Amino acid sequence: MKENLAFFVRELVEDKESVCIDLEEDRETITLKIRLAEKDRGAVIGVNGKRIKALKEVIHMEGFKTGKKVRLEVI
Amino acid sequence: MSLLQKLMGTDEDSKIKKTVKSVFKQIGFDVKYEGFDEYHNRKRLNLSYEKDDVNVLVGKNGKNIMALEFLINIMLKNRYSLESHLMLDVNQYRKNKDVFLKDIALKAGEEVLKTRKDVILKPLNPYERKIVHTTLKKIKYVRTKSLGKGELKKILVSYAHDEQGI
């Protein structure tokens, strides 16, 4: 899940080196924290959050199998 | 375009295919490529996938495949400056959905013409609404309007006293 998210996020940003994904998991939810360069925040979130929503849908495709909720956070 | 360029994979189709392949490899869906066609001036790449989790790939109302399509279009723009507005279809899902939506639109139109009462369709996404609007545009004495705010809106189909449907 982490690798998939990193793949897509790296495609969206300019500063690919700075991208780092942290995964936190508890009984019900998986939280994926996206760390990236300040200037790239917009490229990941998109207008009205359109890009982050699309990322969420795609990551959900995988999260669906685990039966847990998946959350994305941009730090 | 020269044969060499084609072999080197510099034309648009191979760039698209390369990008789409990299995405499906990453997310672990072993899709087959059925080739390109054209849909309302948009390039459409037809895929087929025969495993049980095809519903995960398509998603509710096609939202997963549309999210992938959205991200792939950004990737094409970032990687190759291609403004292709590519459309992805899996197992002809979207082709069939178009037929279904046209059918719903025409049925609503017929009912409006018969009863002259308004019909409200269930919430649809922008792409689905476009199909309904364009289908009913051709029909005289019927007008359509989107209701509400946000991504999903209902469509009001009503009787127009003017022939143009205004």
Side-chain angles (χ1 to χ4, degrees):
Chain A
M1 201 178 284
K2 231 166 113 175
E3 289 74 32
N4 282 358
L5 183 61
F7 168 84
F8 284 107
V9 172
R10 288 207 176 98
E11 290 289 341
L12 301 180
V13 300
E14 241 175 75
D15 185 356
K16 300 183 197 306
E17 301 286 303
S18 304
V19 176
C20 176
I21 315 282
D22 295 332
L23 189 143
E24 284 172 17
E25 189 169 356
D26 61 24
R27 241 191 296 162
E28 286 165 5
T29 41
I30 297 170
T31 310
L32 289 154
K33 294 184 175 173
I34 308 167
R35 287 176 201 281
L36 64 152
E38 186 65 32
K39 59 169 183 178
D40 286 326
R41 286 170 71 93
V44 172
I45 297 169
V47 180
N48 290 328
K50 220 177 156 188
R51 289 183 176 192
I52 193 87
K53 260 187 219 161
L55 285 171
K56 214 171 160 183
E57 307 281 13
V58 173
I59 300 306
H60 265 253
M61 285 166 67
E62 208 184 336
F64 172 78
K65 289 171 195 160
T66 63
K68 290 185 181 180
K69 277 184 193 165
V70 182
R71 293 187 62 212
L72 292 189
E73 276 176 23
V74 180
I75 300 174
Chain B
M1 189 160 295
S2 74
L3 184 65
L4 184 68
Q5 270 179 315
K6 269 188 181 165
L7 287 173
M8 298 285 282
T10 44
D11 65 313
E12 198 178 303
D13 286 3
S14 66
K15 279 175 184 168
I16 292 173
K17 233 174 165 179
K18 202 174 151 195
T19 309
V20 174
K21 258 184 190 163
S22 70
V23 168
F24 282 104
K25 197 181 163 205
Q26 180 67 37
I27 59 172
F29 282 94
D30 186 21
V31 293
K32 284 199 187 89
Y33 298 85
E34 305 286 345
F36 290 97
D37 63 0
E38 192 81 21
Y39 179 80
H40 283 269
N41 296 327
R42 282 177 76 178
K43 195 169 258 197
R44 177 165 60 188
L45 177 58
N46 296 299
L47 307 167
S48 68
Y49 184 72
E50 302 301 337
K51 290 194 184 134
D52 289 345
D53 54 348
V54 65
N55 57 337
V56 180
L57 182 57
V58 174
K60 191 180 176 189
N61 288 328
K63 71 173 181 181
N64 291 355
I65 194 72
M66 275 153 114
L68 280 171
E69 171 188 294
F70 176 73
L71 291 173
I72 286 169
N73 276 317
I74 298 170
M75 286 167 71
L76 287 170
K77 201 176 160 193
N78 288 355
R79 282 187 182 183
Y80 311 108
S81 307
L82 269 180
E83 303 264 2
S84 61
H85 211 43
L86 178 77
M87 190 169 167
L88 284 182
D89 199 354
V90 179
N91 294 356
Q92 305 210 322
Y93 169 82
R94 293 178 77 178
K95 239 180 238 173
N96 296 340
K97 180 117 193 183
D98 285 6
V99 174
F100 171 73
L101 283 167
K102 274 181 194 159
D103 198 43
I104 282 188
L106 290 174
K107 269 184 191 152
E110 250 173 51
E111 201 181 321
V112 165
L113 286 177
K114 220 195 279 175
T115 62
R116 299 204 177 184
K117 278 180 185 157
D118 295 354
V119 172
I120 297 177
L121 301 178
K122 66 174 184 131
L124 300 169
N125 70 34
Y127 168 77
E128 294 165 341
R129 287 201 300 279
K130 193 180 165 195
I131 294 172
V132 174
H133 286 305
T134 44
T135 308
L136 288 177
K137 210 175 176 183
K138 296 169 205 147
I139 297 174
K140 286 175 184 173
Y141 297 108
V142 169
R143 65 177 164 195
T144 56
K145 197 185 164 195
S146 295
L147 302 174
K149 272 183 186 171
E151 187 77 358
L152 298 176
K153 290 178 191 165
K154 292 175 181 173
I155 293 183
L156 170 76
V157 186
S158 56
Y159 185 78
H161 294 278
D162 192 301
E163 194 177 290
Q164 304 299 322
I166 304 163

mmCIF file of all heavy atoms in Angstrom, chain A residues 1-45:
data_model
loop_
_atom_site.group_PDB
_atom_site.id
_atom_site.type_symbol
_atom_site.label_atom_id
_atom_site.label_comp_id
_atom_site.label_asym_id
_atom_site.label_seq_id
_atom_site.Cartn_x
_atom_site.Cartn_y
_atom_site.Cartn_z
ATOM 1 N N MET A 1 0.828 -1.206 0.000
ATOM 2 C CA MET A 1 0.000 0.000 0.000
ATOM 3 C C MET A 1 0.866 1.262 0.000
ATOM 4 O O MET A 1 0.622 2.198 -0.747
ATOM 5 C CB MET A 1 -0.886 -0.013 1.247
ATOM 6 C CG MET A 1 -2.098 0.867 1.110
ATOM 7 S SD MET A 1 -3.121 0.774 2.568
ATOM 8 C CE MET A 1 -3.897 -0.809 2.334
ATOM 9 N N LYS A 2 1.905 1.215 0.844
ATOM 10 C CA LYS A 2 2.840 2.331 0.938
ATOM 11 C C LYS A 2 3.545 2.570 -0.400
ATOM 12 O O LYS A 2 3.667 3.696 -0.861
ATOM 13 C CB LYS A 2 3.900 1.963 1.984
ATOM 14 C CG LYS A 2 4.120 2.992 3.038
ATOM 15 C CD LYS A 2 4.902 2.382 4.173
ATOM 16 C CE LYS A 2 6.260 2.987 4.274
ATOM 17 N NZ LYS A 2 6.998 2.499 5.442
ATOM 18 N N GLU A 3 3.957 1.465 -1.008
ATOM 19 C CA GLU A 3 4.697 1.566 -2.274
ATOM 20 C C GLU A 3 3.808 2.127 -3.383
ATOM 21 O O GLU A 3 4.240 2.940 -4.183
ATOM 22 C CB GLU A 3 5.236 0.187 -2.708
ATOM 23 C CG GLU A 3 6.372 -0.350 -1.888
ATOM 24 C CD GLU A 3 5.934 -0.850 -0.525
ATOM 25 O OE1 GLU A 3 4.797 -1.346 -0.413
ATOM 26 O OE2 GLU A 3 6.726 -0.718 0.427
ATOM 27 N N ASN A 4 2.544 1.663 -3.408
ATOM 28 C CA ASN A 4 1.628 2.143 -4.424
ATOM 29 C C ASN A 4 1.397 3.640 -4.292
ATOM 30 O O ASN A 4 1.409 4.371 -5.280
ATOM 31 C CB ASN A 4 0.272 1.431 -4.309
ATOM 32 C CG ASN A 4 0.313 0.045 -4.894
ATOM 33 O OD1 ASN A 4 1.343 -0.372 -5.423
ATOM 34 N ND2 ASN A 4 -0.785 -0.668 -4.783
ATOM 35 N N LEU A 5 1.182 4.086 -3.066
ATOM 36 C CA LEU A 5 0.943 5.509 -2.838
ATOM 37 C C LEU A 5 2.185 6.312 -3.230
ATOM 38 O O LEU A 5 2.078 7.329 -3.915
ATOM 39 C CB LEU A 5 0.566 5.760 -1.373
ATOM 40 C CG LEU A 5 0.213 7.200 -1.038
ATOM 41 C CD1 LEU A 5 -0.991 7.668 -1.841
ATOM 42 C CD2 LEU A 5 -0.071 7.366 0.441
ATOM 43 N N ALA A 6 3.358 5.814 -2.840
ATOM 44 C CA ALA A 6 4.605 6.515 -3.163
ATOM 45 C C ALA A 6 4.780 6.624 -4.674
ATOM 46 O O ALA A 6 5.183 7.666 -5.194
ATOM 47 C CB ALA A 6 5.793 5.784 -2.544
ATOM 48 N N PHE A 7 4.415 5.553 -5.381
ATOM 49 C CA PHE A 7 4.518 5.551 -6.849
ATOM 50 C C PHE A 7 3.692 6.687 -7.447
ATOM 51 O O PHE A 7 4.184 7.479 -8.249
ATOM 52 C CB PHE A 7 4.039 4.192 -7.393
ATOM 53 C CG PHE A 7 3.832 4.148 -8.880
ATOM 54 C CD1 PHE A 7 4.904 3.911 -9.726
ATOM 55 C CD2 PHE A 7 2.568 4.311 -9.430
ATOM 56 C CE1 PHE A 7 4.721 3.864 -11.106
ATOM 57 C CE2 PHE A 7 2.373 4.271 -10.807
ATOM 58 C CZ PHE A 7 3.457 4.036 -11.640
ATOM 59 N N PHE A 8 2.424 6.781 -7.026
ATOM 60 C CA PHE A 8 1.540 7.803 -7.597
ATOM 61 C C PHE A 8 1.954 9.209 -7.166
ATOM 62 O O PHE A 8 1.958 10.131 -7.982
ATOM 63 C CB PHE A 8 0.086 7.541 -7.214
ATOM 64 C CG PHE A 8 -0.539 6.428 -8.001
ATOM 65 C CD1 PHE A 8 -0.798 5.204 -7.418
ATOM 66 C CD2 PHE A 8 -0.850 6.604 -9.339
ATOM 67 C CE1 PHE A 8 -1.359 4.166 -8.147
ATOM 68 C CE2 PHE A 8 -1.414 5.573 -10.080
ATOM 69 C CZ PHE A 8 -1.667 4.347 -9.483
ATOM 70 N N VAL A 9 2.318 9.357 -5.878
ATOM 71 C CA VAL A 9 2.699 10.686 -5.392
ATOM 72 C C VAL A 9 3.948 11.171 -6.129
ATOM 73 O O VAL A 9 4.023 12.317 -6.566
ATOM 74 C CB VAL A 9 2.914 10.682 -3.865
ATOM 75 C CG1 VAL A 9 3.505 12.004 -3.397
ATOM 76 C CG2 VAL A 9 1.607 10.424 -3.142
ATOM 77 N N ARG A 10 4.921 10.265 -6.340
ATOM 78 C CA ARG A 10 6.151 10.658 -7.047
ATOM 79 C C ARG A 10 5.854 11.089 -8.477
ATOM 80 O O ARG A 10 6.570 11.905 -9.043
ATOM 81 C CB ARG A 10 7.168 9.521 -7.044
ATOM 82 C CG ARG A 10 7.768 9.329 -5.683
ATOM 83 C CD ARG A 10 9.158 8.727 -5.696
ATOM 84 N NE ARG A 10 9.639 8.678 -4.333
ATOM 85 C CZ ARG A 10 9.581 7.585 -3.577
ATOM 86 N NH1 ARG A 10 9.139 6.449 -4.067
ATOM 87 N NH2 ARG A 10 9.992 7.628 -2.327
ATOM 88 N N GLU A 11 4.800 10.520 -9.072
ATOM 89 C CA GLU A 11 4.431 10.926 -10.429
ATOM 90 C C GLU A 11 3.849 12.341 -10.456
ATOM 91 O O GLU A 11 3.889 13.013 -11.464
ATOM 92 C CB GLU A 11 3.391 9.951 -11.016
ATOM 93 C CG GLU A 11 3.931 8.572 -11.347
ATOM 94 C CD GLU A 11 4.855 8.577 -12.557
ATOM 95 O OE1 GLU A 11 4.808 9.534 -13.342
ATOM 96 O OE2 GLU A 11 5.631 7.618 -12.697
ATOM 97 N N LEU A 12 3.264 12.756 -9.333
ATOM 98 C CA LEU A 12 2.598 14.057 -9.315
ATOM 99 C C LEU A 12 3.539 15.207 -8.973
ATOM 100 O O LEU A 12 3.322 16.322 -9.406
ATOM 101 C CB LEU A 12 1.434 14.046 -8.302
ATOM 102 C CG LEU A 12 0.321 13.021 -8.508
ATOM 103 C CD1 LEU A 12 -0.721 13.157 -7.418
ATOM 104 C CD2 LEU A 12 -0.349 13.194 -9.855
ATOM 105 N N VAL A 13 4.575 14.925 -8.163
ATOM 106 C CA VAL A 13 5.393 16.019 -7.635
ATOM 107 C C VAL A 13 6.638 16.302 -8.482
ATOM 108 O O VAL A 13 7.018 15.506 -9.329
ATOM 109 C CB VAL A 13 5.842 15.732 -6.178
ATOM 110 C CG1 VAL A 13 4.651 15.577 -5.273
ATOM 111 C CG2 VAL A 13 6.743 14.507 -6.125
ATOM 112 N N GLU A 14 7.238 17.463 -8.204
ATOM 113 C CA GLU A 14 8.482 17.832 -8.875
ATOM 114 C C GLU A 14 9.672 17.265 -8.107
ATOM 115 O O GLU A 14 10.572 16.679 -8.672
ATOM 116 C CB GLU A 14 8.579 19.357 -8.901
ATOM 117 C CG GLU A 14 8.622 19.946 -10.292
ATOM 118 C CD GLU A 14 8.591 21.438 -10.223
ATOM 119 O OE1 GLU A 14 9.611 22.041 -9.871
ATOM 120 O OE2 GLU A 14 7.512 22.003 -10.495
ATOM 121 N N ASP A 15 9.632 17.458 -6.789
ATOM 122 C CA ASP A 15 10.737 17.030 -5.933
ATOM 123 C C ASP A 15 10.476 15.600 -5.431
ATOM 124 O O ASP A 15 9.933 15.386 -4.357
ATOM 125 C CB ASP A 15 10.844 18.016 -4.754
ATOM 126 C CG ASP A 15 12.055 17.714 -3.883
ATOM 127 O OD1 ASP A 15 12.747 16.719 -4.151
ATOM 128 O OD2 ASP A 15 12.286 18.481 -2.932
ATOM 129 N N LYS A 16 10.867 14.635 -6.271
ATOM 130 C CA LYS A 16 10.533 13.228 -5.980
ATOM 131 C C LYS A 16 11.318 12.678 -4.794
ATOM 132 O O LYS A 16 10.869 11.769 -4.100
ATOM 133 C CB LYS A 16 10.785 12.367 -7.218
ATOM 134 C CG LYS A 16 9.946 12.818 -8.411
ATOM 135 C CD LYS A 16 10.153 11.921 -9.606
ATOM 136 C CE LYS A 16 9.692 12.536 -10.918
ATOM 137 N NZ LYS A 16 8.345 13.009 -10.969
ATOM 138 N N GLU A 17 12.494 13.238 -4.574
ATOM 139 C CA GLU A 17 13.370 12.747 -3.504
ATOM 140 C C GLU A 17 12.760 12.944 -2.116
ATOM 141 O O GLU A 17 12.959 12.132 -1.224
ATOM 142 C CB GLU A 17 14.718 13.493 -3.554
ATOM 143 C CG GLU A 17 15.457 13.348 -4.877
ATOM 144 C CD GLU A 17 16.082 11.974 -5.043
ATOM 145 O OE1 GLU A 17 16.872 11.608 -4.173
ATOM 146 O OE2 GLU A 17 15.750 11.284 -6.019
ATOM 147 N N SER A 18 12.029 14.048 -1.976
ATOM 148 C CA SER A 18 11.499 14.402 -0.644
ATOM 149 C C SER A 18 10.294 13.574 -0.224
ATOM 150 O O SER A 18 9.865 13.647 0.912
ATOM 151 C CB SER A 18 11.104 15.872 -0.610
ATOM 152 O OG SER A 18 12.187 16.656 -0.976
ATOM 153 N N VAL A 19 9.724 12.806 -1.180
ATOM 154 C CA VAL A 19 8.510 12.062 -0.865
ATOM 155 C C VAL A 19 8.813 10.903 0.082
ATOM 156 O O VAL A 19 9.722 10.107 -0.155
ATOM 157 C CB VAL A 19 7.838 11.515 -2.147
ATOM 158 C CG1 VAL A 19 6.629 10.652 -1.798
ATOM 159 C CG2 VAL A 19 7.426 12.656 -3.051
ATOM 160 N N CYS A 20 8.049 10.848 1.170
ATOM 161 C CA CYS A 20 8.229 9.781 2.143
ATOM 162 C C CYS A 20 6.861 9.442 2.730
ATOM 163 O O CYS A 20 6.088 10.334 3.069
ATOM 164 C CB CYS A 20 9.194 10.277 3.220
ATOM 165 S SG CYS A 20 9.409 9.111 4.548
ATOM 166 N N ILE A 21 6.536 8.180 2.780
ATOM 167 C CA ILE A 21 5.219 7.775 3.276
ATOM 168 C C ILE A 21 5.388 7.019 4.597
ATOM 169 O O ILE A 21 6.171 6.072 4.677
ATOM 170 C CB ILE A 21 4.495 6.837 2.272
ATOM 171 C CG1 ILE A 21 4.595 7.338 0.828
ATOM 172 C CG2 ILE A 21 3.046 6.594 2.695
ATOM 173 C CD1 ILE A 21 3.690 8.437 0.431
ATOM 174 N N ASP A 22 4.669 7.463 5.617
ATOM 175 C CA ASP A 22 4.652 6.731 6.893
ATOM 176 C C ASP A 22 3.322 6.011 7.031
ATOM 177 O O ASP A 22 2.286 6.570 6.705
ATOM 178 C CB ASP A 22 4.789 7.708 8.076
ATOM 179 C CG ASP A 22 6.140 8.398 8.055
ATOM 180 O OD1 ASP A 22 7.077 7.785 7.524
ATOM 181 O OD2 ASP A 22 6.237 9.535 8.535
ATOM 182 N N LEU A 23 3.388 4.789 7.529
ATOM 183 C CA LEU A 23 2.152 4.024 7.691
ATOM 184 C C LEU A 23 1.901 3.742 9.164
ATOM 185 O O LEU A 23 2.792 3.258 9.874
ATOM 186 C CB LEU A 23 2.259 2.713 6.902
ATOM 187 C CG LEU A 23 1.004 1.860 6.756
ATOM 188 C CD1 LEU A 23 0.974 1.225 5.382
ATOM 189 C CD2 LEU A 23 0.927 0.768 7.809
ATOM 190 N N GLU A 24 0.731 4.123 9.618
ATOM 191 C CA GLU A 24 0.353 3.808 10.998
ATOM 192 C C GLU A 24 -0.899 2.956 10.944
ATOM 193 O O GLU A 24 -1.823 3.250 10.197
ATOM 194 C CB GLU A 24 0.054 5.105 11.772
ATOM 195 C CG GLU A 24 1.303 5.845 12.158
ATOM 196 C CD GLU A 24 1.018 7.208 12.749
ATOM 197 O OE1 GLU A 24 -0.139 7.446 13.159
ATOM 198 O OE2 GLU A 24 1.939 8.025 12.777
ATOM 199 N N GLU A 25 -0.902 1.901 11.745
ATOM 200 C CA GLU A 25 -2.022 0.980 11.658
ATOM 201 C C GLU A 25 -2.543 0.681 13.050
ATOM 202 O O GLU A 25 -1.779 0.396 13.975
ATOM 203 C CB GLU A 25 -1.546 -0.302 10.975
ATOM 204 C CG GLU A 25 -2.658 -1.244 10.631
ATOM 205 C CD GLU A 25 -2.189 -2.380 9.716
ATOM 206 O OE1 GLU A 25 -1.017 -2.376 9.293
ATOM 207 O OE2 GLU A 25 -2.993 -3.266 9.454
ATOM 208 N N ASP A 26 -3.860 0.770 13.233
ATOM 209 C CA ASP A 26 -4.448 0.239 14.461
ATOM 210 C C ASP A 26 -5.534 -0.763 14.087
ATOM 211 O O ASP A 26 -5.584 -1.202 12.946
ATOM 212 C CB ASP A 26 -4.933 1.369 15.394
ATOM 213 C CG ASP A 26 -6.011 2.215 14.752
ATOM 214 O OD1 ASP A 26 -6.687 1.699 13.853
ATOM 215 O OD2 ASP A 26 -6.182 3.371 15.154
ATOM 216 N N ARG A 27 -6.412 -1.078 15.023
ATOM 217 C CA ARG A 27 -7.338 -2.169 14.772
ATOM 218 C C ARG A 27 -8.318 -1.880 13.616
ATOM 219 O O ARG A 27 -8.690 -2.774 12.879
ATOM 220 C CB ARG A 27 -8.123 -2.479 16.048
ATOM 221 C CG ARG A 27 -7.863 -3.913 16.495
ATOM 222 C CD ARG A 27 -8.811 -4.319 17.583
ATOM 223 N NE ARG A 27 -8.635 -3.541 18.790
ATOM 224 C CZ ARG A 27 -9.550 -3.462 19.755
ATOM 225 N NH1 ARG A 27 -10.691 -4.102 19.623
ATOM 226 N NH2 ARG A 27 -9.339 -2.757 20.845
ATOM 227 N N GLU A 28 -8.712 -0.599 13.503
ATOM 228 C CA GLU A 28 -9.728 -0.278 12.498
ATOM 229 C C GLU A 28 -9.224 0.494 11.292
ATOM 230 O O GLU A 28 -9.798 0.403 10.212
ATOM 231 C CB GLU A 28 -10.864 0.524 13.158
ATOM 232 C CG GLU A 28 -11.747 -0.345 14.018
ATOM 233 C CD GLU A 28 -12.624 0.471 14.934
ATOM 234 O OE1 GLU A 28 -12.599 1.708 14.827
ATOM 235 O OE2 GLU A 28 -13.312 -0.128 15.759
ATOM 236 N N THR A 29 -8.198 1.286 11.512
ATOM 237 C CA THR A 29 -7.774 2.168 10.412
ATOM 238 C C THR A 29 -6.290 2.046 10.074
ATOM 239 O O THR A 29 -5.466 1.750 10.916
ATOM 240 C CB THR A 29 -8.028 3.658 10.748
ATOM 241 O OG1 THR A 29 -7.676 3.871 12.113
ATOM 242 C CG2 THR A 29 -9.441 4.068 10.507
ATOM 243 N N ILE A 30 -6.049 2.317 8.806
ATOM 244 C CA ILE A 30 -4.670 2.450 8.335
ATOM 245 C C ILE A 30 -4.505 3.914 7.942
ATOM 246 O O ILE A 30 -5.275 4.429 7.135
ATOM 247 C CB ILE A 30 -4.417 1.545 7.120
ATOM 248 C CG1 ILE A 30 -4.577 0.073 7.497
ATOM 249 C CG2 ILE A 30 -3.028 1.796 6.540
ATOM 250 C CD1 ILE A 30 -4.587 -0.875 6.325
ATOM 251 N N THR A 31 -3.536 4.593 8.543
ATOM 252 C CA THR A 31 -3.297 5.986 8.191
ATOM 253 C C THR A 31 -1.985 6.100 7.438
ATOM 254 O O THR A 31 -0.953 5.636 7.904
ATOM 255 C CB THR A 31 -3.237 6.872 9.458
ATOM 256 O OG1 THR A 31 -4.383 6.588 10.252
ATOM 257 C CG2 THR A 31 -3.225 8.344 9.089
ATOM 258 N N LEU A 32 -2.076 6.682 6.260
ATOM 259 C CA LEU A 32 -0.871 6.882 5.456
ATOM 260 C C LEU A 32 -0.536 8.365 5.469
ATOM 261 O O LEU A 32 -1.346 9.192 5.059
ATOM 262 C CB LEU A 32 -1.117 6.411 4.022
ATOM 263 C CG LEU A 32 -1.237 4.902 3.847
ATOM 264 C CD1 LEU A 32 -2.075 4.577 2.637
ATOM 265 C CD2 LEU A 32 0.123 4.249 3.718
ATOM 266 N N LYS A 33 0.632 8.691 5.989
ATOM 267 C CA LYS A 33 1.047 10.091 6.065
ATOM 268 C C LYS A 33 2.048 10.386 4.955
ATOM 269 O O LYS A 33 3.071 9.708 4.847
ATOM 270 C CB LYS A 33 1.640 10.399 7.431
ATOM 271 C CG LYS A 33 0.597 10.298 8.521
ATOM 272 C CD LYS A 33 1.144 10.690 9.861
ATOM 273 C CE LYS A 33 0.004 10.668 10.879
ATOM 274 N NZ LYS A 33 0.490 10.884 12.238
ATOM 275 N N ILE A 34 1.699 11.361 4.139
ATOM 276 C CA ILE A 34 2.559 11.703 3.006
ATOM 277 C C ILE A 34 3.431 12.899 3.387
ATOM 278 O O ILE A 34 2.920 13.975 3.679
ATOM 279 C CB ILE A 34 1.709 12.069 1.764
ATOM 280 C CG1 ILE A 34 0.673 10.979 1.476
ATOM 281 C CG2 ILE A 34 2.603 12.310 0.555
ATOM 282 C CD1 ILE A 34 -0.389 11.401 0.479
ATOM 283 N N ARG A 35 4.745 12.683 3.417
ATOM 284 C CA ARG A 35 5.663 13.800 3.651
ATOM 285 C C ARG A 35 6.250 14.211 2.310
ATOM 286 O O ARG A 35 6.691 13.351 1.536
ATOM 287 C CB ARG A 35 6.810 13.369 4.565
ATOM 288 C CG ARG A 35 6.395 13.180 5.983
ATOM 289 C CD ARG A 35 7.562 12.663 6.804
ATOM 290 N NE ARG A 35 7.051 12.036 8.000
ATOM 291 C CZ ARG A 35 6.653 12.715 9.069
ATOM 292 N NH1 ARG A 35 6.737 14.028 9.089
ATOM 293 N NH2 ARG A 35 6.187 12.079 10.126
ATOM 294 N N LEU A 36 6.225 15.512 2.047
ATOM 295 C CA LEU A 36 6.778 15.985 0.773
ATOM 296 C C LEU A 36 7.205 17.434 0.872
ATOM 297 O O LEU A 36 6.957 18.091 1.886
ATOM 298 C CB LEU A 36 5.756 15.803 -0.356
ATOM 299 C CG LEU A 36 4.450 16.579 -0.300
ATOM 300 C CD1 LEU A 36 3.934 16.807 -1.684
ATOM 301 C CD2 LEU A 36 3.414 15.847 0.482
ATOM 302 N N ALA A 37 7.876 17.902 -0.183
ATOM 303 C CA ALA A 37 8.358 19.288 -0.195
ATOM 304 C C ALA A 37 7.166 20.234 -0.175
ATOM 305 O O ALA A 37 6.129 19.955 -0.780
ATOM 306 C CB ALA A 37 9.194 19.518 -1.444
ATOM 307 N N GLU A 38 7.337 21.341 0.528
ATOM 308 C CA GLU A 38 6.269 22.321 0.711
ATOM 309 C C GLU A 38 5.646 22.757 -0.627
ATOM 310 O O GLU A 38 4.431 22.812 -0.774
ATOM 311 C CB GLU A 38 6.841 23.531 1.468
ATOM 312 C CG GLU A 38 5.824 24.587 1.877
ATOM 313 C CD GLU A 38 4.811 24.091 2.890
ATOM 314 O OE1 GLU A 38 5.164 23.239 3.725
ATOM 315 O OE2 GLU A 38 3.648 24.549 2.841
ATOM 316 N N LYS A 39 6.510 23.004 -1.609
ATOM 317 C CA LYS A 39 6.023 23.520 -2.904
ATOM 318 C C LYS A 39 5.151 22.500 -3.652
ATOM 319 O O LYS A 39 4.395 22.859 -4.544
ATOM 320 C CB LYS A 39 7.195 23.947 -3.784
ATOM 321 C CG LYS A 39 8.155 22.805 -4.063
ATOM 322 C CD LYS A 39 9.170 23.129 -5.121
ATOM 323 C CE LYS A 39 10.029 21.903 -5.361
ATOM 324 N NZ LYS A 39 11.019 22.028 -6.370
ATOM 325 N N ASP A 40 5.269 21.222 -3.287
ATOM 326 C CA ASP A 40 4.523 20.179 -4.001
ATOM 327 C C ASP A 40 3.166 19.839 -3.390
ATOM 328 O O ASP A 40 2.452 18.987 -3.909
ATOM 329 C CB ASP A 40 5.356 18.899 -4.093
ATOM 330 C CG ASP A 40 6.470 19.023 -5.111
ATOM 331 O OD1 ASP A 40 6.253 19.700 -6.125
ATOM 332 O OD2 ASP A 40 7.545 18.445 -4.884
ATOM 333 N N ARG A 41 2.841 20.501 -2.292
ATOM 334 C CA ARG A 41 1.562 20.168 -1.630
ATOM 335 C C ARG A 41 0.378 20.310 -2.576
ATOM 336 O O ARG A 41 -0.486 19.430 -2.645
ATOM 337 C CB ARG A 41 1.339 21.081 -0.411
ATOM 338 C CG ARG A 41 2.208 20.736 0.763
ATOM 339 C CD ARG A 41 2.089 21.818 1.808
ATOM 340 N NE ARG A 41 0.781 21.788 2.448
ATOM 341 C CZ ARG A 41 0.533 21.129 3.572
ATOM 342 N NH1 ARG A 41 1.496 20.462 4.156
ATOM 343 N NH2 ARG A 41 -0.659 21.147 4.112
ATOM 344 N N GLY A 42 0.382 21.410 -3.319
ATOM 345 C CA GLY A 42 -0.720 21.681 -4.248
ATOM 346 C C GLY A 42 -0.837 20.608 -5.318
ATOM 347 O O GLY A 42 -1.941 20.212 -5.700
ATOM 348 N N ALA A 43 0.317 20.121 -5.787
ATOM 349 C CA ALA A 43 0.319 19.118 -6.858
ATOM 350 C C ALA A 43 -0.276 17.799 -6.388
ATOM 351 O O ALA A 43 -0.771 17.010 -7.187
ATOM 352 C CB ALA A 43 1.741 18.905 -7.355
ATOM 353 N N VAL A 44 -0.233 17.551 -5.085
ATOM 354 C CA VAL A 44 -0.790 16.295 -4.561
ATOM 355 C C VAL A 44 -2.254 16.478 -4.158
ATOM 356 O O VAL A 44 -3.070 15.578 -4.338
ATOM 357 C CB VAL A 44 0.051 15.785 -3.365
ATOM 358 C CG1 VAL A 44 -0.604 14.595 -2.689
ATOM 359 C CG2 VAL A 44 1.438 15.397 -3.840
ATOM 360 N N ILE A 45 -2.579 17.655 -3.628
ATOM 361 C CA ILE A 45 -3.954 17.877 -3.174
ATOM 362 C C ILE A 45 -4.876 18.228 -4.345
ATOM 363 O O ILE A 45 -5.966 17.682 -4.463
ATOM 364 C CB ILE A 45 -3.985 18.968 -2.075
ATOM 365 C CG1 ILE A 45 -3.192 18.476 -0.854
ATOM 366 C CG2 ILE A 45 -5.422 19.287 -1.673
ATOM 367 C CD1 ILE A 45 -2.914 19.509 0.183
#
